[in-house]
Amino acid sequence: MTEFMTSEALTCVEMFWYVDEEYRGTWGIKLLKYFEEMAKASGCVRIAMAYMENSMPERVQKLYTKMGYTPYEHHWMKWF
């Protein structure tokens, strides 16, 4: 959890997310819903989730949109 840069409201930020292939789908969604419940119970008013550009981005975007998430920020990486 962290305070969001533009307000004092607590935001739960996903740092790393991985669901083994055999548990994706139903179990992955259950895990995400549990994450949301824990964030609310901890006093967070929003969640920031990410997805990897090279790992089913259209499918993940569709899921997040269906669950009520909206795009907010895009990150760029540079490797040395």
Side-chain angles (χ1 to χ4, degrees), residues 3-15:
E3 287 188 13
F4 202 62
M5 287 185 268
T6 57
S7 75
E8 294 181 15
L10 286 178
T11 302
C12 191
V13 180
E14 169 238 1
M15 298 299 290

Side-chain angles (χ1 to χ4, degrees), residues 41-75:
S42 299
C44 292
V45 298
R46 60 187 152 222
I47 293 175
M49 295 294 291
Y51 67 87
M52 304 300 288
E53 290 286 338
N54 62 351
S55 180
M56 307 179 300
E58 295 86 11
R59 189 171 174 189
V60 176
Q61 276 187 306
K62 185 177 178 181
L63 172 66
Y64 286 167
T65 300
K66 183 177 179 180
M67 293 184 71
Y69 290 80
T70 56
Y72 185 78
E73 182 177 44
H74 193 94
H75 292 257

